[in-house]
Amino acid sequence: MAIQTIPTQTFAGQRPGTSGLRKKVTVFRQRHYLENFVQSLFDVLNAPDAAGEALHGKTLVLGGDGRYHNREAVQTILKMAAANGVQRVLLGQGGILSTPAVSAVIRRHHAFGGIVLSASHNPGGVDGDFGIKYNASNGGPATETLTEAVYARTQAVTQLRISDAADLAIDALGVQQLEHMQVEVIDSVADYLAVMRELFDFDLLRGMFARGFTMRVDAMNAVGGPYAKAILEGELGAPAGTVVNATPLEDFGGLHPDPNPVNAEDLISHMMAADAPDFGAAMDGDADRNMVLGRNFVVTPSDSLALLTAHAKLIPGYKAGLLGVARSMPTSAAVDRVAQALGIACFETPTGWKFFGNLLDAGRVTLCGEESYGTGSSHVREKDGLWAILAWLSLQGATGRSVESLVREHWQTYGRNYYSRHDYEGVAVEAANALMADLRGALPGLMGQVFGSRSVTLADDFSYHDPIDGSVSRAQGVRLIFNDGARVIFRLSGTGTEGATLRVYLERYEPDPMLQDVPVQTALAELAGIAEQVAGIASRTGMNGPSVAT
Ligand code: VG1
Ligand code: CO
């Protein structure tokens, strides 16, 4: 075997979005497309600024969610890593590692960083999406500074370095040699399980199942299956069959592994049935998202973050209390009220987990969450689906109460933040960009405007000033905030691969317990009307309503 230097040509559009580079499988399978991105990443990591260390001679973690093209990409990246001076790769068995598991492995093994192969909640299969993302030594998604540097390099790269060695056997545990690099195939679950054991009272959870607690976890044929099975059924004694769709499939069995009440309809119907289990949950393609449900009751992600914050001390890993909390800007302000009551800081960041990293590293926050079914803590630097499921299981075990009664009690204490996200998918890119540009232009005139019983007290385009490194991220979403605290937010998705997706986030606060049981879309209808009036969504998109409302 020998290291080859191969000439290449650049590709347009290799700029990572909200969470890595995501494209259609057909795009990724173009000759040298993946290679160019990986070479650009290695070039940047091997030429750090004066303060930084180089990847050369260090350990890299590698794994993905098992979707179509995962195994092929693993082989390519191994051969390129060997040719670019990596000393050791820790590879998940069969090329499998969930996103939170990559984060856990990087941290526990003090690796230089890791590569996650996933397009996360995007559909998989031959006609689906593929993705690649780099995580740094803290276990978290690369900062915008780094991803921009990689993007710049993709536009300049002229040659690839790759070993011509034969494919490695990636299904059996053990150490192999590839050029001067060691490849260690590791158990995909072990490190992650060790982290969960440190945080949760496994005896308490075991006792729940022993006493007949019932649960249904839908892994949606994605990477969360092996983790949920090993922990819930293996460690905690939940009956076999508690985790369904538990084998990762290359096309997710045709399911769309983006857990929300629309895509996880089978789980919803089980949870709404007369013989529903006590607790239900689902995860996304790479197992960093979670949806939690009680019997006949769906928990919104924003409420989930608020409740976990309020009850964190019931969980051993958080019994000393929380340093602070953070939520993405479009996430509802439900957690803000809890933070205020607890006397802890609450940070508001742009969409995307990468913005939580600095706050977590600096010890400013312990819990983080996003409205998009993402919740997590300082135990890793990614959102973590199974962690959230275990946390909710723990709340039920420690209080002896149902999901529904916990949430209703929360609303009584803190008030309810009615919340919904309306997605308009497959919009023509020009139309979506024009809608956003016109909204931005209209902002000054919107200040103070009256809509029905409300008036606009803030109309802006959200900018984030990172309190730790001083970096500024602009144009993160157009916000209309009203005098009663209600909010209407507009932004374009940064993870889609077809046309543009407009996301409209609606929120209003209801303190009166007598008025907390209105259907969500009814409770938010007036705000949806304002969004339409201000942005002209129907005429610009040609759509009379959202593709998905969650
Ligand atoms: C979406 C969500 C965002 C999340 C991101 C990655 O981004 O809104 O909250 O962090 O997906 O999640 P966007 O730009 O499409 O709105 V995952 O589980 O797909 O890595
Ligand atoms: Co995900």
Side-chain angles (χ1 to χ4, degrees), residues 189-242:
V189 180
D191 284 296
Y192 181 81
L193 167 61
V195 176
M196 293 303 112
R197 247 198 215 112
E198 285 164 13
L199 297 172
F200 297 105
D201 181 349
F202 274 25
D203 288 334
L204 171 83
L205 306 183
R206 243 176 239 127
M208 291 170 73
F209 290 115
R211 286 189 300 278
F213 185 89
T214 54
M215 177 172 179
R216 183 180 180 89
V217 175
D218 194 332
M220 302 188 89
N221 302 315
V223 79
Y227 295 85
K229 251 192 154 9
I231 296 179
L232 295 166
E233 298 182 12
E235 293 285 319
L236 302 177
T242 295

CSV table of all heavy atoms in Angstrom, one decimal, residues 189-242:
chain,number,residue,atom,x,y,z
A,189,VAL,N,-21.6,1.4,21.6
A,189,VAL,CA,-22.5,1.8,22.7
A,189,VAL,C,-21.7,2.0,24.0
A,189,VAL,O,-22.1,2.9,24.8
A,189,VAL,CB,-23.6,0.7,22.9
A,189,VAL,CG1,-24.5,1.1,24.1
A,189,VAL,CG2,-24.4,0.5,21.7
A,190,ALA,N,-20.6,1.3,24.2
A,190,ALA,CA,-19.9,1.3,25.5
A,190,ALA,C,-19.7,2.6,26.2
A,190,ALA,O,-20.0,2.8,27.3
A,190,ALA,CB,-18.7,0.4,25.4
A,191,ASP,N,-19.0,3.5,25.5
A,191,ASP,CA,-18.7,4.8,26.1
A,191,ASP,C,-19.9,5.6,26.4
A,191,ASP,O,-20.0,6.2,27.5
A,191,ASP,CB,-17.8,5.6,25.1
A,191,ASP,CG,-16.4,5.1,25.1
A,191,ASP,OD1,-15.7,5.2,26.1
A,191,ASP,OD2,-15.9,4.6,24.0
A,192,TYR,N,-20.9,5.6,25.5
A,192,TYR,CA,-22.1,6.3,25.8
A,192,TYR,C,-22.8,5.8,27.0
A,192,TYR,O,-23.3,6.5,27.9
A,192,TYR,CB,-23.0,6.2,24.5
A,192,TYR,CG,-24.3,7.0,24.7
A,192,TYR,CD1,-24.3,8.3,24.5
A,192,TYR,CD2,-25.5,6.3,25.0
A,192,TYR,CE1,-25.5,9.0,24.6
A,192,TYR,CE2,-26.6,7.0,25.2
A,192,TYR,CZ,-26.7,8.4,25.0
A,192,TYR,OH,-27.8,9.1,25.2
A,193,LEU,N,-22.9,4.4,27.1
A,193,LEU,CA,-23.5,3.8,28.2
A,193,LEU,C,-22.8,4.2,29.5
A,193,LEU,O,-23.5,4.5,30.5
A,193,LEU,CB,-23.5,2.3,28.1
A,193,LEU,CG,-23.8,1.4,29.3
A,193,LEU,CD1,-25.3,1.7,29.7
A,193,LEU,CD2,-23.7,-0.1,28.9
A,194,ALA,N,-21.5,4.3,29.5
A,194,ALA,CA,-20.8,4.7,30.7
A,194,ALA,C,-21.2,6.1,31.2
A,194,ALA,O,-21.3,6.4,32.4
A,194,ALA,CB,-19.3,4.6,30.4
A,195,VAL,N,-21.4,7.0,30.2
A,195,VAL,CA,-21.8,8.4,30.5
A,195,VAL,C,-23.2,8.4,31.1
A,195,VAL,O,-23.4,9.0,32.2
A,195,VAL,CB,-21.7,9.3,29.3
A,195,VAL,CG1,-22.2,10.7,29.6
A,195,VAL,CG2,-20.3,9.3,28.7
A,196,MET,N,-24.1,7.6,30.6
A,196,MET,CA,-25.4,7.6,31.1
A,196,MET,C,-25.5,7.0,32.5
A,196,MET,O,-26.2,7.5,33.4
A,196,MET,CB,-26.3,6.7,30.2
A,196,MET,CG,-26.6,7.3,28.8
A,196,MET,SD,-27.3,9.0,28.8
A,196,MET,CE,-25.9,9.9,28.2
A,197,ARG,N,-24.6,6.0,32.8
A,197,ARG,CA,-24.6,5.4,34.1
A,197,ARG,C,-24.1,6.4,35.1
A,197,ARG,O,-24.6,6.4,36.3
A,197,ARG,CB,-23.5,4.3,34.1
A,197,ARG,CG,-24.2,2.9,34.3
A,197,ARG,CD,-23.1,1.9,34.7
A,197,ARG,NE,-23.5,0.6,34.0
A,197,ARG,CZ,-22.9,0.0,33.1
A,197,ARG,NH1,-21.7,0.5,32.7
A,197,ARG,NH2,-23.3,-1.0,32.6
A,198,GLU,N,-23.3,7.3,34.7
A,198,GLU,CA,-22.8,8.3,35.7
A,198,GLU,C,-23.9,9.4,36.0
A,198,GLU,O,-23.8,10.0,37.1
A,198,GLU,CB,-21.6,9.1,35.1
A,198,GLU,CG,-20.3,8.3,35.1
A,198,GLU,CD,-19.3,8.9,34.1
A,198,GLU,OE1,-19.4,10.1,33.7
A,198,GLU,OE2,-18.3,8.2,33.9
A,199,LEU,N,-24.8,9.5,35.1
A,199,LEU,CA,-25.8,10.6,35.3
A,199,LEU,C,-27.1,10.2,36.0
A,199,LEU,O,-27.7,10.9,36.7
A,199,LEU,CB,-26.2,11.2,34.0
A,199,LEU,CG,-25.1,11.9,33.2
A,199,LEU,CD1,-25.6,12.3,31.8
A,199,LEU,CD2,-24.6,13.2,33.9
A,200,PHE,N,-27.5,8.9,35.6
A,200,PHE,CA,-28.9,8.5,36.1
A,200,PHE,C,-28.8,7.4,37.1
A,200,PHE,O,-27.8,6.7,37.2
A,200,PHE,CB,-29.7,8.0,34.8
A,200,PHE,CG,-29.9,9.1,33.8
A,200,PHE,CD1,-29.2,9.1,32.6
A,200,PHE,CD2,-30.8,10.1,34.1
A,200,PHE,CE1,-29.4,10.2,31.7
A,200,PHE,CE2,-31.0,11.1,33.1
A,200,PHE,CZ,-30.3,11.2,32.0
A,201,ASP,N,-29.9,7.3,37.9
A,201,ASP,CA,-30.0,6.3,38.9
A,201,ASP,C,-30.6,5.0,38.3
A,201,ASP,O,-31.8,4.9,38.2
A,201,ASP,CB,-30.9,6.8,40.0
A,201,ASP,CG,-31.1,5.8,41.2
A,201,ASP,OD1,-30.7,4.6,41.0
A,201,ASP,OD2,-31.6,6.2,42.2
A,202,PHE,N,-29.7,4.2,37.7
A,202,PHE,CA,-30.2,3.0,37.0
A,202,PHE,C,-31.0,2.1,37.9
A,202,PHE,O,-31.9,1.4,37.4
A,202,PHE,CB,-29.0,2.3,36.4
A,202,PHE,CG,-28.6,2.8,35.0
A,202,PHE,CD1,-28.8,4.1,34.6
A,202,PHE,CD2,-27.9,1.9,34.1
A,202,PHE,CE1,-28.5,4.6,33.4
A,202,PHE,CE2,-27.5,2.4,32.8
A,202,PHE,CZ,-27.8,3.7,32.5
A,203,ASP,N,-30.7,2.0,39.2
A,203,ASP,CA,-31.5,1.2,40.1
A,203,ASP,C,-32.9,1.6,40.2
A,203,ASP,O,-33.9,0.8,40.1
A,203,ASP,CB,-30.9,1.2,41.5
A,203,ASP,CG,-29.6,0.4,41.5
A,203,ASP,OD1,-29.4,-0.5,40.7
A,203,ASP,OD2,-28.7,0.7,42.4
A,204,LEU,N,-33.1,2.9,40.3
A,204,LEU,CA,-34.5,3.5,40.3
A,204,LEU,C,-35.2,3.1,39.0
A,204,LEU,O,-36.4,2.7,39.1
A,204,LEU,CB,-34.4,5.0,40.4
A,204,LEU,CG,-35.7,5.8,40.3
A,204,LEU,CD1,-36.5,5.8,41.6
A,204,LEU,CD2,-35.5,7.2,39.8
A,205,LEU,N,-34.6,3.3,37.9
A,205,LEU,CA,-35.2,3.0,36.6
A,205,LEU,C,-35.5,1.5,36.4
A,205,LEU,O,-36.5,1.1,35.9
A,205,LEU,CB,-34.3,3.5,35.5
A,205,LEU,CG,-33.9,5.0,35.6
A,205,LEU,CD1,-33.1,5.5,34.3
A,205,LEU,CD2,-35.1,6.0,35.7
A,206,ARG,N,-34.6,0.7,36.9
A,206,ARG,CA,-34.8,-0.7,36.9
A,206,ARG,C,-36.0,-1.1,37.7
A,206,ARG,O,-36.8,-1.9,37.3
A,206,ARG,CB,-33.5,-1.4,37.5
A,206,ARG,CG,-32.8,-2.3,36.5
A,206,ARG,CD,-31.6,-2.9,37.2
A,206,ARG,NE,-30.4,-2.5,36.4
A,206,ARG,CZ,-29.3,-1.9,36.9
A,206,ARG,NH1,-29.2,-1.7,38.2
A,206,ARG,NH2,-28.3,-1.6,36.1
A,207,GLY,N,-36.1,-0.5,38.8
A,207,GLY,CA,-37.3,-0.8,39.7
A,207,GLY,C,-38.6,-0.4,39.0
A,207,GLY,O,-39.6,-1.1,39.2
A,208,MET,N,-38.6,0.7,38.3
A,208,MET,CA,-39.8,1.0,37.6
A,208,MET,C,-40.3,-0.1,36.6
A,208,MET,O,-41.4,-0.5,36.6
A,208,MET,CB,-39.6,2.3,36.7
A,208,MET,CG,-39.4,3.6,37.5
A,208,MET,SD,-38.8,4.9,36.5
A,208,MET,CE,-40.3,5.3,35.6
A,209,PHE,N,-39.4,-0.6,35.8
A,209,PHE,CA,-39.7,-1.6,34.9
A,209,PHE,C,-40.1,-2.9,35.6
A,209,PHE,O,-41.0,-3.6,35.2
A,209,PHE,CB,-38.6,-1.8,33.8
A,209,PHE,CG,-38.5,-0.7,32.9
A,209,PHE,CD1,-37.3,0.1,32.8
A,209,PHE,CD2,-39.5,-0.4,32.0
A,209,PHE,CE1,-37.2,1.1,32.0
A,209,PHE,CE2,-39.4,0.7,31.1
A,209,PHE,CZ,-38.2,1.4,31.1
A,210,ALA,N,-39.4,-3.2,36.7
A,210,ALA,CA,-39.7,-4.4,37.5
A,210,ALA,C,-41.1,-4.3,38.0
A,210,ALA,O,-41.8,-5.3,38.1
A,210,ALA,CB,-38.7,-4.5,38.6
A,211,ARG,N,-41.6,-3.1,38.3
A,211,ARG,CA,-42.9,-3.0,38.9
A,211,ARG,C,-44.0,-2.8,37.8
A,211,ARG,O,-45.1,-2.6,38.0
A,211,ARG,CB,-43.0,-1.8,39.8
A,211,ARG,CG,-42.3,-2.0,41.2
A,211,ARG,CD,-42.6,-0.9,42.1
A,211,ARG,NE,-42.1,0.4,41.6
A,211,ARG,CZ,-40.9,0.8,41.8
A,211,ARG,NH1,-40.0,0.0,42.3
A,211,ARG,NH2,-40.5,2.0,41.3
A,212,GLY,N,-43.5,-2.9,36.5
A,212,GLY,CA,-44.5,-3.0,35.4
A,212,GLY,C,-44.7,-1.7,34.6
A,212,GLY,O,-45.7,-1.6,33.9
A,213,PHE,N,-43.8,-0.7,34.8
A,213,PHE,CA,-43.9,0.5,34.0
A,213,PHE,C,-43.8,0.1,32.5
A,213,PHE,O,-42.9,-0.7,32.2
A,213,PHE,CB,-42.8,1.4,34.4
A,213,PHE,CG,-42.8,2.8,33.8
A,213,PHE,CD1,-43.5,3.8,34.3
A,213,PHE,CD2,-42.1,3.0,32.6
A,213,PHE,CE1,-43.5,5.1,33.7
A,213,PHE,CE2,-42.2,4.3,32.0
A,213,PHE,CZ,-42.9,5.3,32.5
A,214,THR,N,-44.6,0.8,31.7
A,214,THR,CA,-44.6,0.4,30.3
A,214,THR,C,-44.2,1.6,29.4
A,214,THR,O,-44.5,2.7,29.7
A,214,THR,CB,-46.0,-0.1,29.8
A,214,THR,OG1,-46.9,0.9,30.1
A,214,THR,CG2,-46.3,-1.4,30.4
A,215,MET,N,-43.5,1.3,28.3
A,215,MET,CA,-42.9,2.3,27.5
A,215,MET,C,-42.7,1.8,26.1
A,215,MET,O,-42.6,0.6,25.8
A,215,MET,CB,-41.5,2.6,28.1
A,215,MET,CG,-40.6,3.6,27.4
A,215,MET,SD,-39.2,3.8,28.4
A,215,MET,CE,-38.3,5.0,27.4
A,216,ARG,N,-42.8,2.8,25.2
A,216,ARG,CA,-42.6,2.4,23.7
A,216,ARG,C,-41.7,3.5,23.2
A,216,ARG,O,-41.9,4.7,23.2
A,216,ARG,CB,-43.9,2.4,23.0
A,216,ARG,CG,-43.8,2.0,21.5
A,216,ARG,CD,-45.1,2.1,20.8
A,216,ARG,NE,-45.0,1.7,19.4
A,216,ARG,CZ,-45.1,0.4,18.9
A,216,ARG,NH1,-45.4,-0.5,19.8
A,216,ARG,NH2,-45.0,0.2,17.6
A,217,VAL,N,-40.5,3.0,22.7
A,217,VAL,CA,-39.6,3.9,22.1
A,217,VAL,C,-39.5,3.5,20.6
A,217,VAL,O,-39.2,2.4,20.2
A,217,VAL,CB,-38.2,3.7,22.7
A,217,VAL,CG1,-37.1,4.6,22.0
A,217,VAL,CG2,-38.2,4.1,24.2
A,218,ASP,N,-39.7,4.5,19.7
A,218,ASP,CA,-39.6,4.3,18.3
A,218,ASP,C,-38.3,4.8,17.8
A,218,ASP,O,-38.1,6.0,17.8
A,218,ASP,CB,-40.8,5.0,17.6
A,218,ASP,CG,-41.0,4.5,16.1
A,218,ASP,OD1,-39.9,4.1,15.5
A,218,ASP,OD2,-42.1,4.5,15.6
A,219,ALA,N,-37.4,3.9,17.4
A,219,ALA,CA,-36.1,4.4,17.0
A,219,ALA,C,-36.1,4.7,15.5
A,219,ALA,O,-35.1,5.0,14.9
A,219,ALA,CB,-35.0,3.3,17.3
A,220,MET,N,-37.2,4.5,14.8
A,220,MET,CA,-37.5,4.9,13.5
A,220,MET,C,-36.4,4.3,12.5
A,220,MET,O,-36.0,5.0,11.5
A,220,MET,CB,-37.5,6.5,13.4
A,220,MET,CG,-38.6,7.0,14.2
A,220,MET,SD,-38.9,8.8,14.1
A,220,MET,CE,-40.1,8.8,12.8
A,221,ASN,N,-36.0,3.1,12.8
A,221,ASN,CA,-35.0,2.4,11.9
A,221,ASN,C,-33.7,3.1,11.8
A,221,ASN,O,-33.0,3.0,10.8
A,221,ASN,CB,-35.6,2.1,10.5
A,221,ASN,CG,-36.9,1.3,10.6
A,221,ASN,OD1,-37.0,0.3,11.3
A,221,ASN,ND2,-37.9,1.6,9.8
A,222,ALA,N,-33.4,3.9,12.8
A,222,ALA,CA,-32.2,4.8,12.7
A,222,ALA,C,-31.2,4.4,13.8
A,222,ALA,O,-31.4,3.4,14.5
A,222,ALA,CB,-32.6,6.2,12.8
A,223,VAL,N,-30.2,5.2,14.0
A,223,VAL,CA,-29.1,4.7,14.8
A,223,VAL,C,-29.4,4.7,16.3
A,223,VAL,O,-28.6,4.0,17.0
A,223,VAL,CB,-27.9,5.7,14.5
A,223,VAL,CG1,-28.0,7.0,15.2
A,223,VAL,CG2,-26.6,5.0,14.8
A,224,GLY,N,-30.4,5.3,16.7
A,224,GLY,CA,-30.7,5.2,18.2
A,224,GLY,C,-31.1,3.8,18.6
A,224,GLY,O,-31.0,3.5,19.8
A,225,GLY,N,-31.5,3.0,17.7
A,225,GLY,CA,-32.0,1.6,18.1
A,225,GLY,C,-31.1,0.8,19.0
A,225,GLY,O,-31.4,0.4,20.1
A,226,PRO,N,-29.8,0.6,18.5
A,226,PRO,CA,-28.9,-0.2,19.3
A,226,PRO,C,-28.6,0.4,20.7
A,226,PRO,O,-28.4,-0.3,21.7
A,226,PRO,CB,-27.6,-0.2,18.5
A,226,PRO,CG,-28.0,0.3,17.1
A,226,PRO,CD,-29.3,1.0,17.2
A,227,TYR,N,-28.6,1.7,20.8
A,227,TYR,CA,-28.4,2.4,22.1
A,227,TYR,C,-29.6,2.2,23.0
A,227,TYR,O,-29.4,1.8,24.2
A,227,TYR,CB,-28.1,3.9,21.9
A,227,TYR,CG,-26.8,4.1,21.1
A,227,TYR,CD1,-26.8,4.1,19.7
A,227,TYR,CD2,-25.6,4.3,21.7
A,227,TYR,CE1,-25.7,4.3,18.9
A,227,TYR,CE2,-24.5,4.5,21.0
A,227,TYR,CZ,-24.5,4.5,19.6
A,227,TYR,OH,-23.3,4.7,18.9
A,228,ALA,N,-30.8,2.4,22.5
A,228,ALA,CA,-32.0,2.3,23.3
A,228,ALA,C,-32.2,0.9,23.7
A,228,ALA,O,-32.5,0.6,24.9
A,228,ALA,CB,-33.2,2.8,22.5
A,229,LYS,N,-31.9,-0.1,22.8
A,229,LYS,CA,-32.1,-1.5,23.2
A,229,LYS,C,-31.1,-1.9,24.3
A,229,LYS,O,-31.4,-2.5,25.3
A,229,LYS,CB,-31.9,-2.3,21.9
A,229,LYS,CG,-33.1,-3.0,21.4
A,229,LYS,CD,-32.8,-4.0,20.4
A,229,LYS,CE,-33.9,-5.1,20.3
A,229,LYS,NZ,-35.1,-5.1,20.9
A,230,ALA,N,-29.8,-1.5,24.1
A,230,ALA,CA,-28.8,-1.9,25.0
A,230,ALA,C,-29.1,-1.3,26.4
A,230,ALA,O,-28.9,-2.0,27.4
A,230,ALA,CB,-27.4,-1.4,24.6
A,231,ILE,N,-29.5,-0.1,26.5
A,231,ILE,CA,-29.7,0.6,27.8
A,231,ILE,C,-31.1,0.3,28.4
A,231,ILE,O,-31.2,-0.2,29.5
A,231,ILE,CB,-29.5,2.1,27.6
A,231,ILE,CG1,-28.0,2.3,27.2
A,231,ILE,CG2,-29.8,2.8,28.9
A,231,ILE,CD1,-27.6,3.8,27.1
A,232,LEU,N,-32.2,0.5,27.6
A,232,LEU,CA,-33.5,0.3,28.2
A,232,LEU,C,-33.8,-1.2,28.4
A,232,LEU,O,-34.2,-1.6,29.5
A,232,LEU,CB,-34.6,0.9,27.3
A,232,LEU,CG,-34.5,2.4,27.2
A,232,LEU,CD1,-35.3,2.9,26.0
A,232,LEU,CD2,-34.9,3.1,28.5
A,233,GLU,N,-33.6,-2.0,27.4
A,233,GLU,CA,-33.9,-3.4,27.5
A,233,GLU,C,-32.8,-4.2,28.2
A,233,GLU,O,-33.0,-5.1,29.0
A,233,GLU,CB,-34.3,-4.0,26.1
A,233,GLU,CG,-35.5,-3.4,25.5
A,233,GLU,CD,-35.9,-4.0,24.1
A,233,GLU,OE1,-35.3,-5.1,23.8
A,233,GLU,OE2,-36.7,-3.4,23.4
A,234,GLY,N,-31.6,-3.9,27.8
A,234,GLY,CA,-30.4,-4.6,28.3
A,234,GLY,C,-30.1,-4.2,29.8
A,234,GLY,O,-30.2,-5.1,30.7
A,235,GLU,N,-29.8,-3.0,30.0
A,235,GLU,CA,-29.4,-2.5,31.4
A,235,GLU,C,-30.6,-2.4,32.4
A,235,GLU,O,-30.5,-2.7,33.5
A,235,GLU,CB,-28.7,-1.2,31.3
A,235,GLU,CG,-27.4,-1.2,30.6
A,235,GLU,CD,-26.3,-1.9,31.4
A,235,GLU,OE1,-26.2,-1.6,32.6
A,235,GLU,OE2,-25.5,-2.7,30.9
A,236,LEU,N,-31.7,-1.8,31.9
A,236,LEU,CA,-32.8,-1.4,32.8
A,236,LEU,C,-33.9,-2.5,32.9
A,236,LEU,O,-34.8,-2.3,33.6
A,236,LEU,CB,-33.3,-0.1,32.4
A,236,LEU,CG,-32.3,1.1,32.4
A,236,LEU,CD1,-32.9,2.4,31.9
A,236,LEU,CD2,-31.6,1.2,33.7
A,237,GLY,N,-33.8,-3.5,32.1
A,237,GLY,CA,-34.8,-4.6,32.2
A,237,GLY,C,-36.2,-4.3,31.6
A,237,GLY,O,-37.1,-5.0,32.0
A,238,ALA,N,-36.3,-3.3,30.8
A,238,ALA,CA,-37.6,-3.1,30.1
A,238,ALA,C,-37.8,-4.3,29.2
A,238,ALA,O,-36.9,-4.9,28.7
A,238,ALA,CB,-37.5,-1.8,29.2
A,239,PRO,N,-39.1,-4.7,29.1
A,239,PRO,CA,-39.4,-5.9,28.3
A,239,PRO,C,-38.9,-5.8,26.9
A,239,PRO,O,-38.9,-4.7,26.3
A,239,PRO,CB,-40.9,-6.0,28.3
A,239,PRO,CG,-41.4,-5.1,29.4
A,239,PRO,CD,-40.3,-4.1,29.6
A,240,ALA,N,-38.5,-7.0,26.3
A,240,ALA,CA,-38.1,-7.0,24.9
A,240,ALA,C,-39.3,-6.5,24.1
A,240,ALA,O,-40.4,-6.7,24.4
A,240,ALA,CB,-37.8,-8.4,24.5
A,241,GLY,N,-39.0,-5.7,23.1
A,241,GLY,CA,-40.0,-5.1,22.3
A,241,GLY,C,-40.4,-3.7,22.7
A,241,GLY,O,-41.2,-3.0,22.1
A,242,THR,N,-39.8,-3.2,23.8
A,242,THR,CA,-40.0,-1.8,24.3
A,242,THR,C,-39.5,-0.9,23.2
A,242,THR,O,-40.2,0.2,22.9
A,242,THR,CB,-39.3,-1.6,25.6
A,242,THR,OG1,-39.9,-2.4,26.6
A,242,THR,CG2,-39.4,-0.1,26.0
